[in-house]
Amino acid sequence: MNLRLHAFEPASRANGPGLRAVVWFQGCTLGCPGCFNPATHDLRGGSESDTVCLAAEILASAPQIDGISISGGEPFQQPDALLDLLTRLAGSGLSRLVFTGYTLDEIHRCRLGPEILRHLDVLIAGRYDASQRVAKGLLGSSNQQIHLLTGRHNLAELAAAPPRELILHRDGTITGSGIHPWRHLTD
Ligand code: SF4
């Protein structure tokens, strides 16, 4: 199934508990003022990807990683691809965490929302509100909510995730990510 992708990182420590693959979906219409990643907003931006290939790449790394985090952009604005990707990872033993700008109540009313929630261990939910910025413990702002949907993780594990990281790839490129990325260090 087609997926509009912003970026993929096979191994990150700043996007959830433990070592995780991270998928950033492309496209978000929620328009939070001060969003830290506006390059993810354009629904036609990023690149065309495929859930079959993405799932295969993640599963190939499964022995070395603890889980997968899905962020954006807004993952729930591509619900078919989100559900398909999660379904392909079911049974892998990987922990599954999603960052979303929607609240849990809104997701319950989204198409495929309840089905998607059944695949998740953790949901970090709510619009980013720059006036309540905290940028730690995987929360961008204090109004956002952490929902532990299974007993797999606890709040202390999530709070222990580093706020930022730089990943040096074999080809010499560098990826920076995290809830308090390097460009905000002077905030
Ligand atoms: S929901 Fe997330 S990606 Fe979308 S505007 Fe808000 S902070 Fe940015």
Side-chain angles (χ1 to χ4, degrees), residues 28 30-32 35 40-41 73-74 101 128:
C28 178
L30 296 182
C32 308
C35 169
T40 64
H41 292 181
E74 178 44 63
Y128 172 65

Side-chain angles (χ1 to χ4, degrees), residues 52-120:
V52 176
C53 298
L54 208 47
E57 192 164 353
I58 294 165
L59 290 171
S61 303
Q64 288 85 44
I65 59 176
D66 302 298
I68 174 173
S69 293
I70 300 176
S71 187
E74 178 44 63
F76 283 88
Q77 290 185 356
Q78 298 187 65
D80 298 280
L82 178 57
L83 181 58
D84 190 69
L85 179 62
L86 289 166
T87 301
R88 292 178 186 281
L89 298 174
S92 66
L94 293 172
S95 142
R96 281 158 286 174
L97 179 155
V98 168
F99 293 90
T100 175
Y102 291 112
T103 65
L104 184 60
D105 281 350
E106 289 174 321
I107 290 169
H108 278 296
R109 296 193 297 272
C110 285
R111 189 172 68 80
L112 301 180
E115 289 92 328
I116 292 167
L117 289 174
R118 281 196 277 277
H119 285 272
L120 303 183

Side-chain angles (χ1 to χ4, degrees), residues 6-184:
H6 178 71
F8 174 71
E9 176 54 56
S12 159
R13 291 197 179 275
N15 288 276
L19 188 65
R20 313 178 71 83
V22 188
V23 179
W24 285 272
F25 278 44
Q26 178 70 30
C28 178
T29 61
L30 296 182
C32 308
C35 169
F36 66 97
N37 205 353
T40 64
H41 292 181
D42 184 353
L43 300 172
R44 291 168 299 183
S47 60
E48 200 63 51
S49 186
D50 181 275
T51 54
V52 176
C53 298
L54 208 47
E57 192 164 353
I58 294 165
L59 290 171
S61 303
Q64 288 85 44
I65 59 176
D66 302 298
I68 174 173
S69 293
I70 300 176
S71 187
E74 178 44 63
F76 283 88
Q77 290 185 356
Q78 298 187 65
D80 298 280
L82 178 57
L83 181 58
D84 190 69
L85 179 62
L86 289 166
T87 301
R88 292 178 186 281
L89 298 174
S92 66
L94 293 172
S95 142
R96 281 158 286 174
L97 179 155
V98 168
F99 293 90
T100 175
Y102 291 112
T103 65
L104 184 60
D105 281 350
E106 289 174 321
I107 290 169
H108 278 296
R109 296 193 297 272
C110 285
R111 189 172 68 80
L112 301 180
E115 289 92 328
I116 292 167
L117 289 174
R118 281 196 277 277
H119 285 272
L120 303 183
D121 296 298
V122 181
L123 182 79
I124 299 183
R127 311 289 192 277
Y128 172 65
D129 179 347
S131 72
Q132 301 183 66
R133 177 176 171 78
V134 288
K136 62 182 178 184
L138 301 177
L139 293 177
S141 54
S142 60
N143 60 297
Q144 294 172 324
Q145 299 284 318
I146 296 174
H147 300 283
L148 301 175
L149 302 175
T150 67
R152 180 159 184 162
H153 295 294
N154 58 52
L155 292 177
E157 285 178 90
L158 272 62
R164 69 186 71 87
E165 69 185 344
L166 287 179
I167 300 169
L168 176 61
H169 299 279
R170 290 180 191 277
D171 65 0
T173 58
I174 296 174
T175 300
S177 77
I179 205 70
H180 190 25
W182 298 92
R183 62 183 175 279
H184 281 296

